[in-house]
Short mmCIF file of all heavy atoms in Angstrom, two decimals:
data_model
loop_
_atom_site.label_atom_id
_atom_site.label_comp_id
_atom_site.label_asym_id
_atom_site.label_seq_id
_atom_site.Cartn_x
_atom_site.Cartn_y
_atom_site.Cartn_z
N ALA A 1 1.89 6.99 18.61
CA ALA A 1 3.34 7.13 18.45
C ALA A 1 3.74 6.99 17.01
O ALA A 1 4.79 7.54 16.58
CB ALA A 1 4.06 6.10 19.30
N ARG A 2 2.94 6.28 16.20
CA ARG A 2 3.30 6.05 14.78
C ARG A 2 3.31 7.35 13.99
O ARG A 2 3.80 7.38 12.86
CB ARG A 2 2.32 5.04 14.16
CG ARG A 2 2.55 3.63 14.67
CD ARG A 2 1.78 2.64 13.82
NE ARG A 2 1.89 1.28 14.38
CZ ARG A 2 2.94 0.48 14.21
NH1 ARG A 2 3.97 0.90 13.51
NH2 ARG A 2 2.94 -0.72 14.75
N ARG A 3 2.73 8.41 14.51
CA ARG A 3 2.85 9.73 13.86
C ARG A 3 4.32 10.08 13.61
O ARG A 3 4.65 10.75 12.63
CB ARG A 3 2.19 10.79 14.71
CG ARG A 3 2.30 12.19 14.17
CD ARG A 3 1.76 13.24 15.12
NE ARG A 3 0.33 13.07 15.30
CZ ARG A 3 -0.59 13.64 14.52
NH1 ARG A 3 -0.20 14.39 13.52
NH2 ARG A 3 -1.85 13.47 14.75
N ASP A 4 5.21 9.65 14.51
CA ASP A 4 6.61 10.05 14.46
C ASP A 4 7.47 9.15 13.58
O ASP A 4 8.63 9.49 13.31
CB ASP A 4 7.20 10.04 15.88
CG ASP A 4 6.60 11.13 16.75
OD1 ASP A 4 6.31 12.21 16.23
OD2 ASP A 4 6.40 10.87 17.95
N PHE A 5 6.95 7.98 13.18
CA PHE A 5 7.76 7.13 12.30
C PHE A 5 6.85 6.40 11.30
O PHE A 5 5.84 5.86 11.64
CB PHE A 5 8.59 6.13 13.11
CG PHE A 5 7.79 5.21 14.02
CD1 PHE A 5 7.49 3.89 13.67
CD2 PHE A 5 7.35 5.68 15.26
CE1 PHE A 5 6.78 3.08 14.50
CE2 PHE A 5 6.63 4.86 16.12
CZ PHE A 5 6.34 3.56 15.75
N GLN A 6 7.25 6.47 10.03
CA GLN A 6 6.48 5.91 8.94
C GLN A 6 7.43 5.05 8.06
O GLN A 6 8.64 5.12 8.19
CB GLN A 6 5.83 6.98 8.12
CG GLN A 6 4.73 7.73 8.85
CD GLN A 6 3.48 6.95 9.09
OE1 GLN A 6 3.08 6.12 8.25
NE2 GLN A 6 2.88 7.12 10.26
N MET A 7 6.81 4.27 7.15
CA MET A 7 7.61 3.33 6.35
C MET A 7 7.30 3.52 4.88
O MET A 7 6.18 3.76 4.47
CB MET A 7 7.33 1.89 6.78
CG MET A 7 8.25 0.87 6.17
SD MET A 7 8.17 -0.69 7.09
CE MET A 7 9.50 -1.59 6.26
N VAL A 8 8.36 3.35 4.05
CA VAL A 8 8.22 3.28 2.59
C VAL A 8 8.66 1.88 2.19
O VAL A 8 9.78 1.46 2.49
CB VAL A 8 9.09 4.34 1.90
CG1 VAL A 8 9.01 4.16 0.38
CG2 VAL A 8 8.62 5.74 2.27
N PHE A 9 7.77 1.15 1.49
CA PHE A 9 8.02 -0.24 1.17
C PHE A 9 8.75 -0.36 -0.18
O PHE A 9 8.83 0.58 -0.96
CB PHE A 9 6.73 -1.04 1.15
CG PHE A 9 6.11 -1.15 2.52
CD1 PHE A 9 5.13 -0.21 2.91
CD2 PHE A 9 6.45 -2.15 3.41
CE1 PHE A 9 4.53 -0.28 4.16
CE2 PHE A 9 5.85 -2.22 4.67
CZ PHE A 9 4.91 -1.29 5.04
N GLN A 10 9.20 -1.60 -0.46
CA GLN A 10 10.01 -1.86 -1.63
C GLN A 10 9.21 -1.70 -2.94
O GLN A 10 9.66 -1.07 -3.86
CB GLN A 10 10.60 -3.26 -1.55
CG GLN A 10 11.43 -3.67 -2.78
CD GLN A 10 12.03 -5.05 -2.61
OE1 GLN A 10 11.92 -5.67 -1.56
NE2 GLN A 10 12.73 -5.51 -3.61
N ASP A 11 8.07 -2.33 -2.99
CA ASP A 11 7.31 -2.37 -4.22
C ASP A 11 6.37 -1.17 -4.32
O ASP A 11 5.38 -1.09 -3.58
CB ASP A 11 6.46 -3.68 -4.26
CG ASP A 11 5.69 -3.85 -5.56
OD1 ASP A 11 5.73 -2.93 -6.41
OD2 ASP A 11 5.05 -4.89 -5.73
N PRO A 12 6.63 -0.22 -5.19
CA PRO A 12 5.81 0.98 -5.24
C PRO A 12 4.41 0.75 -5.78
O PRO A 12 3.56 1.65 -5.67
CB PRO A 12 6.61 1.91 -6.18
CG PRO A 12 7.37 0.98 -7.05
CD PRO A 12 7.72 -0.22 -6.21
N TYR A 13 4.14 -0.41 -6.35
CA TYR A 13 2.78 -0.72 -6.80
C TYR A 13 2.06 -1.61 -5.81
O TYR A 13 0.90 -1.37 -5.44
CB TYR A 13 2.78 -1.38 -8.18
CG TYR A 13 1.42 -1.47 -8.81
CD1 TYR A 13 0.76 -0.35 -9.27
CD2 TYR A 13 0.76 -2.69 -8.87
CE1 TYR A 13 -0.50 -0.44 -9.84
CE2 TYR A 13 -0.52 -2.81 -9.43
CZ TYR A 13 -1.14 -1.66 -9.90
OH TYR A 13 -2.40 -1.75 -10.46
N GLY A 14 2.73 -2.68 -5.36
CA GLY A 14 2.10 -3.59 -4.41
C GLY A 14 1.74 -2.97 -3.10
O GLY A 14 0.84 -3.45 -2.40
N SER A 15 2.45 -1.88 -2.72
CA SER A 15 2.16 -1.23 -1.42
C SER A 15 1.01 -0.23 -1.51
O SER A 15 0.60 0.35 -0.50
CB SER A 15 3.39 -0.51 -0.91
OG SER A 15 3.78 0.53 -1.78
N LEU A 16 0.46 -0.01 -2.73
CA LEU A 16 -0.66 0.94 -2.91
C LEU A 16 -1.90 0.16 -3.30
O LEU A 16 -1.87 -0.67 -4.22
CB LEU A 16 -0.33 1.99 -4.00
CG LEU A 16 0.99 2.74 -3.83
CD1 LEU A 16 1.17 3.68 -5.00
CD2 LEU A 16 1.01 3.51 -2.53
N ASP A 17 -3.01 0.42 -2.63
CA ASP A 17 -4.27 -0.28 -2.91
C ASP A 17 -4.77 0.20 -4.27
O ASP A 17 -5.11 1.36 -4.43
CB ASP A 17 -5.30 0.05 -1.82
CG ASP A 17 -6.57 -0.76 -1.95
OD1 ASP A 17 -6.86 -1.26 -3.03
OD2 ASP A 17 -7.30 -0.90 -0.91
N PRO A 18 -4.89 -0.70 -5.26
CA PRO A 18 -5.29 -0.27 -6.62
C PRO A 18 -6.72 0.21 -6.69
O PRO A 18 -7.11 0.86 -7.66
CB PRO A 18 -5.07 -1.54 -7.45
CG PRO A 18 -5.20 -2.67 -6.47
CD PRO A 18 -4.62 -2.15 -5.19
N ARG A 19 -7.54 -0.08 -5.65
CA ARG A 19 -8.94 0.30 -5.70
C ARG A 19 -9.17 1.67 -5.06
O ARG A 19 -10.32 2.19 -5.10
CB ARG A 19 -9.79 -0.75 -4.96
CG ARG A 19 -9.73 -2.15 -5.58
CD ARG A 19 -10.27 -3.18 -4.63
NE ARG A 19 -9.47 -3.24 -3.40
CZ ARG A 19 -9.74 -4.08 -2.39
NH1 ARG A 19 -10.80 -4.89 -2.46
NH2 ARG A 19 -8.96 -4.08 -1.30
N GLN A 20 -8.16 2.25 -4.48
CA GLN A 20 -8.31 3.52 -3.79
C GLN A 20 -7.69 4.67 -4.60
O GLN A 20 -6.72 4.47 -5.34
CB GLN A 20 -7.62 3.46 -2.42
CG GLN A 20 -8.13 2.40 -1.50
CD GLN A 20 -9.51 2.70 -0.94
OE1 GLN A 20 -10.01 3.82 -1.07
NE2 GLN A 20 -10.13 1.71 -0.32
N THR A 21 -8.27 5.85 -4.48
CA THR A 21 -7.68 7.03 -5.10
C THR A 21 -6.39 7.42 -4.38
O THR A 21 -6.17 7.01 -3.23
CB THR A 21 -8.64 8.21 -5.08
OG1 THR A 21 -8.86 8.61 -3.73
CG2 THR A 21 -9.95 7.88 -5.79
N ILE A 22 -5.58 8.21 -5.05
CA ILE A 22 -4.33 8.66 -4.44
C ILE A 22 -4.63 9.47 -3.19
O ILE A 22 -3.90 9.40 -2.19
CB ILE A 22 -3.52 9.49 -5.44
CG1 ILE A 22 -3.18 8.65 -6.69
CG2 ILE A 22 -2.24 10.02 -4.80
CD1 ILE A 22 -2.54 7.27 -6.36
N ALA A 23 -5.69 10.28 -3.21
CA ALA A 23 -6.05 11.09 -2.04
C ALA A 23 -6.27 10.19 -0.81
O ALA A 23 -5.80 10.48 0.30
CB ALA A 23 -7.29 11.92 -2.32
N ARG A 24 -7.00 9.09 -0.97
CA ARG A 24 -7.32 8.22 0.15
C ARG A 24 -6.08 7.44 0.58
O ARG A 24 -5.87 7.21 1.77
CB ARG A 24 -8.45 7.27 -0.22
CG ARG A 24 -9.77 7.95 -0.44
CD ARG A 24 -10.93 6.99 -0.52
NE ARG A 24 -11.13 6.35 0.81
CZ ARG A 24 -12.15 5.50 1.04
NH1 ARG A 24 -13.04 5.26 0.08
NH2 ARG A 24 -12.27 4.96 2.22
N ILE A 25 -5.24 7.03 -0.39
CA ILE A 25 -4.02 6.29 -0.06
C ILE A 25 -3.08 7.16 0.76
O ILE A 25 -2.56 6.72 1.81
CB ILE A 25 -3.33 5.82 -1.34
CG1 ILE A 25 -4.15 4.67 -2.00
CG2 ILE A 25 -1.90 5.35 -1.05
CD1 ILE A 25 -3.65 4.32 -3.39
N VAL A 26 -2.85 8.37 0.32
CA VAL A 26 -1.91 9.25 1.00
C VAL A 26 -2.45 9.67 2.36
O VAL A 26 -1.68 9.81 3.32
CB VAL A 26 -1.61 10.49 0.12
CG1 VAL A 26 -0.79 11.53 0.89
CG2 VAL A 26 -0.88 10.06 -1.15
N ALA A 27 -3.75 9.85 2.47
CA ALA A 27 -4.36 10.33 3.73
C ALA A 27 -4.50 9.21 4.76
O ALA A 27 -4.73 9.50 5.94
CB ALA A 27 -5.73 10.95 3.43
N GLU A 28 -4.32 7.97 4.35
CA GLU A 28 -4.62 6.85 5.25
C GLU A 28 -3.90 6.93 6.63
O GLU A 28 -4.54 6.75 7.67
CB GLU A 28 -4.25 5.53 4.56
CG GLU A 28 -4.57 4.28 5.41
CD GLU A 28 -4.18 3.02 4.69
OE1 GLU A 28 -3.51 3.10 3.60
OE2 GLU A 28 -4.51 1.93 5.18
N PRO A 29 -2.57 7.22 6.69
CA PRO A 29 -1.95 7.27 8.02
C PRO A 29 -2.53 8.38 8.90
O PRO A 29 -2.58 8.21 10.11
CB PRO A 29 -0.47 7.53 7.70
CG PRO A 29 -0.29 7.09 6.28
CD PRO A 29 -1.58 7.38 5.64
N LEU A 30 -2.93 9.48 8.27
CA LEU A 30 -3.46 10.58 9.05
C LEU A 30 -4.89 10.26 9.55
O LEU A 30 -5.22 10.58 10.70
CB LEU A 30 -3.49 11.86 8.19
CG LEU A 30 -3.47 13.20 8.91
CD1 LEU A 30 -2.27 13.29 9.83
CD2 LEU A 30 -3.44 14.32 7.90
N THR A 31 -5.70 9.64 8.72
CA THR A 31 -7.06 9.30 9.15
C THR A 31 -7.02 8.23 10.24
O THR A 31 -7.92 8.18 11.10
CB THR A 31 -7.89 8.80 7.95
OG1 THR A 31 -7.22 7.73 7.32
CG2 THR A 31 -8.10 9.91 6.95
N ALA A 32 -5.99 7.37 10.25
CA ALA A 32 -5.88 6.35 11.28
C ALA A 32 -5.58 6.96 12.65
O ALA A 32 -5.84 6.33 13.69
CB ALA A 32 -4.78 5.35 10.90
N LEU A 33 -5.04 8.19 12.67
CA LEU A 33 -4.72 8.82 13.94
C LEU A 33 -5.88 9.56 14.57
O LEU A 33 -5.84 9.89 15.76
CB LEU A 33 -3.55 9.83 13.72
CG LEU A 33 -2.18 9.22 13.38
CD1 LEU A 33 -1.20 10.30 12.96
CD2 LEU A 33 -1.66 8.44 14.57
N GLY A 34 -6.93 9.82 13.80
CA GLY A 34 -8.05 10.53 14.37
C GLY A 34 -8.88 11.20 13.29
O GLY A 34 -8.50 11.24 12.11
N ARG A 35 -9.99 11.77 13.68
CA ARG A 35 -10.91 12.40 12.74
C ARG A 35 -10.38 13.75 12.25
O ARG A 35 -9.81 14.50 13.07
CB ARG A 35 -12.28 12.59 13.39
CG ARG A 35 -12.95 11.26 13.77
CD ARG A 35 -14.30 11.47 14.37
NE ARG A 35 -15.22 12.07 13.38
CZ ARG A 35 -16.50 12.36 13.66
NH1 ARG A 35 -16.99 12.13 14.87
NH2 ARG A 35 -17.26 12.91 12.73
N MET A 36 -10.59 14.05 10.99
CA MET A 36 -10.22 15.32 10.43
C MET A 36 -11.20 15.65 9.29
O MET A 36 -11.58 14.73 8.57
CB MET A 36 -8.79 15.24 9.86
CG MET A 36 -8.29 16.55 9.29
SD MET A 36 -6.56 16.44 8.74
CE MET A 36 -5.70 16.33 10.31
N ASP A 37 -11.63 16.88 9.23
CA ASP A 37 -12.64 17.21 8.19
C ASP A 37 -12.04 17.07 6.80
O ASP A 37 -10.83 17.17 6.61
CB ASP A 37 -13.19 18.62 8.43
CG ASP A 37 -12.11 19.70 8.20
OD1 ASP A 37 -11.93 20.10 7.03
OD2 ASP A 37 -11.47 20.10 9.18
N ARG A 38 -12.92 16.76 5.84
CA ARG A 38 -12.50 16.40 4.51
C ARG A 38 -11.70 17.50 3.83
O ARG A 38 -10.70 17.21 3.16
CB ARG A 38 -13.74 16.04 3.67
CG ARG A 38 -13.42 15.44 2.32
CD ARG A 38 -14.70 14.92 1.64
NE ARG A 38 -14.37 14.28 0.38
CZ ARG A 38 -14.31 14.92 -0.80
NH1 ARG A 38 -14.53 16.23 -0.83
NH2 ARG A 38 -14.04 14.25 -1.90
N ALA A 39 -12.10 18.74 3.99
CA ALA A 39 -11.41 19.86 3.35
C ALA A 39 -9.97 19.97 3.84
O ALA A 39 -9.03 20.15 3.07
CB ALA A 39 -12.15 21.15 3.57
#
């Protein structure tokens, strides 16, 4: 169900994992929903 509602947090730096690339950070909600090929 979380596919239909997402959140944007207050701190634009603290809410992003500094050890992850932007690609992995942005893709995280989608990968949590199921498998998808890398391309």
Side-chain angles (χ1 to χ4, degrees):
R2 289 192 185 280
R3 177 186 294 274
D4 293 323
F5 57 101
Q6 293 290 322
M7 189 163 187
V8 175
F9 294 93
Q10 176 177 358
D11 183 356
Y13 190 73
S15 64
L16 307 178
D17 188 339
R19 298 166 298 180
Q20 302 287 348
T21 64
I22 300 309
R24 294 193 67 174
I25 289 171
V26 172
E28 182 181 8
L30 204 56
T31 54
L33 291 171
R35 298 182 64 180
M36 181 176 290
D37 66 85
R38 189 171 183 272

